[in-house]
């Protein structure tokens, strides 16, 4: 009988100890993790792993991948016709609003400048003369196109102008435009790493010290107004910080020089 009492006492104490692991005198959890707690712990571990992803790994996972181009391979975009230009223009046309006509002219200017090197000069000139009265008029509207790629809050792609990847026809140029768009978005939204993204864009524009883009700045494998215009567009989107981080470059008038480079290509093509 004594042995039975002792065994019952041991069992009772064991149950009490187990209960003590889960609740205290006030009925509060103190010991064993619940399923909800274990799930939260797992989420925290996953979050820590995401936070530990390096900037390079983040870019590699998210940025549009480079298209394969051989070191000596020359990319010659297919000819873009006047019919294609007008067709795309009709697709993106604004049909309502007080400034619809001006917005449409800006976007047509973007279409013509970005694609002029890949058009027959006669077709290019016919459209420029019909809609802008010559390349001087085209220049003004393209300047407006650049200015309205951002909205009032400075967000790229939310402005009145259609983003370049929707105005281009060649897959390599579209890829390059999408890569620039991604980096600009990250530069604007990832405040913790904004300067790092700024540096990546600057390296692309001036120093060729990156391997992220399908084509480097002034890459000889793809020449023409498309690549030149994308460089100008990228520069226009970081101008505010150019004044802060690279004041000498800003004071040297790199934006005006880049704009002139684009229209040197445009005028050269127009005069062929």
């Amino acid at each position: 009988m004594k042995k039975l009492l002792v065994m019952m006492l041991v069992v009772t104490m064991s149950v009490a100890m187990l209960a003590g692991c889960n609740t205290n005198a006030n009925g509060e959890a103190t010991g064993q993790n619940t399923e909800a707690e274990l799930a939260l712990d797992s989420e925290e571990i996953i979050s820590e792993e995401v936070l530990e992803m390096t900037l390079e790994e983040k870019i590699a996972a998210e940025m549009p991948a480079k298209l394969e181009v051989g070191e000596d391979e020359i990319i010659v975009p297919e000819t873009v016709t006047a019919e294609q230009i007008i067709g795309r223009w009709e697709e993106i046309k604004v049909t309502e609003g007080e400034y619809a006509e001006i917005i449409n002219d800006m976007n047509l200017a973007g279409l013509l400048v970005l694609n002029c090197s890949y058009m027959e000069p006669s077709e290019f000139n016919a459209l420029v003369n019909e809609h802008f009265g010559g390349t001087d008029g085209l220049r003004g509207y393209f300047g407006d196109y650049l200015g309205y790629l951002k909205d009032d809050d400075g967000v790229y792609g939310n402005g009145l102008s259609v983003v370049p990847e929707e105005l281009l026809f060649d897959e390599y140029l579209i890829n390059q435009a999408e890569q620039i768009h991604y980096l600009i978005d990250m530069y604007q939204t990832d405040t913790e790493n904004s300067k790092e993204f700024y540096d990546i864009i600057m390296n692309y524009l001036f120093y060729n010290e990156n391997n992220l883009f399908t084509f480097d700045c002034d890459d000889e494998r793809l020449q023409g107004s498309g690549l030149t215009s994308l460089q100008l567009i990228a520069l226009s989107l970081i101008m505010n910080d150019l004044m802060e981080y690279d004041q000498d470059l800003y004071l040297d008038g790199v934006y005006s020089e880049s704009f002139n480079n684009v229209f040197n290509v445009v005028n050269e093509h127009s005069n062929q």
Side-chain angles (χ1 to χ4, degrees), residues 2 53-54 59 66-67 74 86 96 101 139 146 163 202 206 222 234 236 238 240:
K2 286 183 178 179
M53 181 185 288
T54 65
I59 293 171
K66 293 172 61 175
L67 297 182
I74 302 299
I86 296 301
E96 297 179 355
E101 185 176 351
R139 183 185 180 103
L146 293 174
V163 291
M202 283 295 291
F206 295 104
L222 177 64
S236 72
I238 63 170
N240 288 340

Side-chain angles (χ1 to χ4, degrees), residues 94-138:
V94 175
T95 57
E96 297 179 355
E98 182 181 357
Y99 301 105
E101 185 176 351
I102 295 173
I103 294 169
N104 291 332
D105 284 341
M106 287 175 357
N107 286 321
L108 179 59
L111 270 164
L112 288 168
V113 172
L114 285 161
N115 293 288
C116 83
S117 292
Y118 321 114
M119 299 179 66
E120 290 294 336
S122 59
E123 292 195 353
F124 172 74
N125 285 328
L127 288 176
V128 170
N129 291 330
E130 177 184 353
H131 293 276
F132 302 104
T135 56
D136 286 344
L138 177 66

Side-chain angles (χ1 to χ4, degrees), residues 146-212:
L146 293 174
Y148 286 100
L149 277 167
K150 299 180 289 186
D151 64 11
D152 291 339
D153 295 322
V155 180
Y156 179 44
N158 284 359
L160 301 175
S161 300
V162 174
V163 291
E165 53 263 44
E166 296 182 24
L167 302 184
L168 292 162
F169 296 86
D170 178 75
E171 63 173 328
Y172 290 93
L173 289 168
I174 292 171
N175 174 247
Q176 189 89 355
E178 290 173 342
Q179 291 175 324
I180 291 171
H181 197 152
Y182 168 78
L183 289 172
I184 292 293
D185 279 348
M186 297 309 298
Y187 157 71
Q188 292 179 329
T189 60
D190 186 350
T191 54
E192 183 179 349
N193 298 300
S194 180
K195 179 59 166 62
E196 285 77 4
F197 282 106
Y198 169 88
D199 289 339
I200 291 170
I201 298 165
M202 283 295 291
N203 285 338
Y204 159 68
L205 289 169
F206 295 104
Y207 308 118
N208 295 342
E209 293 178 1
N210 68 80
N211 60 357
L212 295 174

Side-chain angles (χ1 to χ4, degrees), residues 11 19 61 69 82 121 140 157 160 174 193 211 213 218 272:
V11 170
V69 185
L160 301 175
I174 292 171
N193 298 300
N211 60 357
F213 292 92
D218 300 324
Q272 287 182 6

Side-chain angles (χ1 to χ4, degrees), residues 29 34 42 84 170 225 242:
T34 64
S42 298
Q84 285 177 295
D170 178 75
S225 60
L242 187 72

